mmCIF file of all heavy atoms in Angstrom:
data_model
loop_
_atom_site.group_PDB
_atom_site.id
_atom_site.type_symbol
_atom_site.label_atom_id
_atom_site.label_comp_id
_atom_site.label_asym_id
_atom_site.label_seq_id
_atom_site.Cartn_x
_atom_site.Cartn_y
_atom_site.Cartn_z
ATOM 1 N N LEU A 386 43.737 -237.327 -83.044
ATOM 2 C CA LEU A 386 44.284 -238.368 -83.931
ATOM 3 C C LEU A 386 43.378 -238.660 -85.091
ATOM 4 O O LEU A 386 43.824 -239.076 -86.176
ATOM 5 C CB LEU A 386 44.563 -239.652 -83.159
ATOM 6 C CG LEU A 386 45.719 -239.606 -82.166
ATOM 7 C CD1 LEU A 386 45.809 -240.930 -81.376
ATOM 8 C CD2 LEU A 386 47.047 -239.338 -82.889
ATOM 9 N N TYR A 387 42.065 -238.453 -84.924
ATOM 10 C CA TYR A 387 41.081 -238.749 -85.994
ATOM 11 C C TYR A 387 40.372 -237.502 -86.442
ATOM 12 O O TYR A 387 39.212 -237.579 -86.901
ATOM 13 C CB TYR A 387 40.080 -239.792 -85.468
ATOM 14 C CG TYR A 387 40.716 -241.110 -85.163
ATOM 15 C CD1 TYR A 387 41.158 -241.409 -83.874
ATOM 16 C CD2 TYR A 387 40.909 -242.063 -86.143
ATOM 17 C CE1 TYR A 387 41.761 -242.641 -83.586
ATOM 18 C CE2 TYR A 387 41.506 -243.304 -85.868
ATOM 19 C CZ TYR A 387 41.936 -243.564 -84.595
ATOM 20 O OH TYR A 387 42.527 -244.760 -84.335
ATOM 21 N N ASP A 388 41.015 -236.341 -86.292
ATOM 22 C CA ASP A 388 40.445 -235.045 -86.718
ATOM 23 C C ASP A 388 39.127 -234.790 -86.001
ATOM 24 O O ASP A 388 38.219 -234.091 -86.542
ATOM 25 C CB ASP A 388 40.231 -235.014 -88.218
ATOM 26 C CG ASP A 388 41.519 -235.077 -89.001
ATOM 27 O OD1 ASP A 388 42.532 -234.611 -88.457
ATOM 28 O OD2 ASP A 388 41.548 -235.586 -90.134
ATOM 29 N N GLY A 389 38.994 -235.301 -84.818
ATOM 30 C CA GLY A 389 37.767 -235.098 -84.055
ATOM 31 C C GLY A 389 37.883 -233.938 -83.077
ATOM 32 O O GLY A 389 38.887 -233.267 -82.987
ATOM 33 N N THR A 390 36.796 -233.695 -82.397
ATOM 34 C CA THR A 390 36.749 -232.596 -81.376
ATOM 35 C C THR A 390 36.251 -233.161 -80.079
ATOM 36 O O THR A 390 35.477 -234.117 -80.047
ATOM 37 C CB THR A 390 35.803 -231.457 -81.841
ATOM 38 O OG1 THR A 390 34.511 -231.993 -82.053
ATOM 39 C CG2 THR A 390 36.327 -230.839 -83.147
ATOM 40 N N LEU A 391 36.726 -232.536 -78.987
ATOM 41 C CA LEU A 391 36.283 -232.984 -77.679
ATOM 42 C C LEU A 391 35.978 -231.731 -76.858
ATOM 43 O O LEU A 391 36.797 -230.791 -76.806
ATOM 44 C CB LEU A 391 37.380 -233.843 -76.992
ATOM 45 C CG LEU A 391 36.924 -234.421 -75.655
ATOM 46 C CD1 LEU A 391 37.192 -235.893 -75.579
ATOM 47 C CD2 LEU A 391 37.594 -233.691 -74.490
ATOM 48 N N GLU A 392 34.845 -231.744 -76.214
ATOM 49 C CA GLU A 392 34.442 -230.647 -75.349
ATOM 50 C C GLU A 392 34.234 -231.245 -73.934
ATOM 51 O O GLU A 392 33.568 -232.265 -73.759
ATOM 52 C CB GLU A 392 33.131 -230.034 -75.839
ATOM 53 C CG GLU A 392 33.232 -229.483 -77.252
ATOM 54 C CD GLU A 392 31.884 -229.016 -77.780
ATOM 55 O OE1 GLU A 392 30.894 -229.119 -76.993
ATOM 56 O OE2 GLU A 392 31.810 -228.580 -78.917
ATOM 57 N N ALA A 393 34.809 -230.578 -72.946
ATOM 58 C CA ALA A 393 34.676 -231.011 -71.583
ATOM 59 C C ALA A 393 34.479 -229.777 -70.697
ATOM 60 O O ALA A 393 35.251 -228.823 -70.739
ATOM 61 C CB ALA A 393 35.913 -231.767 -71.118
ATOM 62 N N GLY A 394 33.400 -229.790 -69.933
ATOM 63 C CA GLY A 394 33.128 -228.640 -69.095
ATOM 64 C C GLY A 394 31.879 -228.843 -68.252
ATOM 65 O O GLY A 394 31.129 -229.781 -68.422
ATOM 66 N N PRO A 395 31.634 -227.923 -67.295
ATOM 67 C CA PRO A 395 30.484 -228.024 -66.400
ATOM 68 C C PRO A 395 29.186 -227.690 -67.128
ATOM 69 O O PRO A 395 29.165 -226.922 -68.091
ATOM 70 C CB PRO A 395 30.800 -227.027 -65.307
ATOM 71 C CG PRO A 395 31.664 -226.001 -65.971
ATOM 72 C CD PRO A 395 32.474 -226.775 -67.009
ATOM 73 N N LEU A 396 28.102 -228.273 -66.654
ATOM 74 C CA LEU A 396 26.757 -227.986 -67.162
ATOM 75 C C LEU A 396 26.145 -226.814 -66.372
ATOM 76 O O LEU A 396 26.473 -226.610 -65.184
ATOM 77 C CB LEU A 396 25.873 -229.198 -67.056
ATOM 78 C CG LEU A 396 26.267 -230.411 -67.917
ATOM 79 C CD1 LEU A 396 25.432 -231.633 -67.566
ATOM 80 C CD2 LEU A 396 26.100 -230.068 -69.386
ATOM 81 N N PRO A 397 25.301 -226.032 -67.006
ATOM 82 C CA PRO A 397 24.704 -224.887 -66.271
ATOM 83 C C PRO A 397 23.947 -225.293 -65.025
ATOM 84 O O PRO A 397 24.012 -224.597 -64.005
ATOM 85 C CB PRO A 397 23.785 -224.252 -67.344
ATOM 86 C CG PRO A 397 24.293 -224.711 -68.654
ATOM 87 C CD PRO A 397 24.904 -226.081 -68.399
#
Side-chain angles (χ1 to χ4, degrees):
L386 289 176
Y387 296 93
D388 295 331
T390 59
L391 186 130
E392 301 173 1
L396 295 171

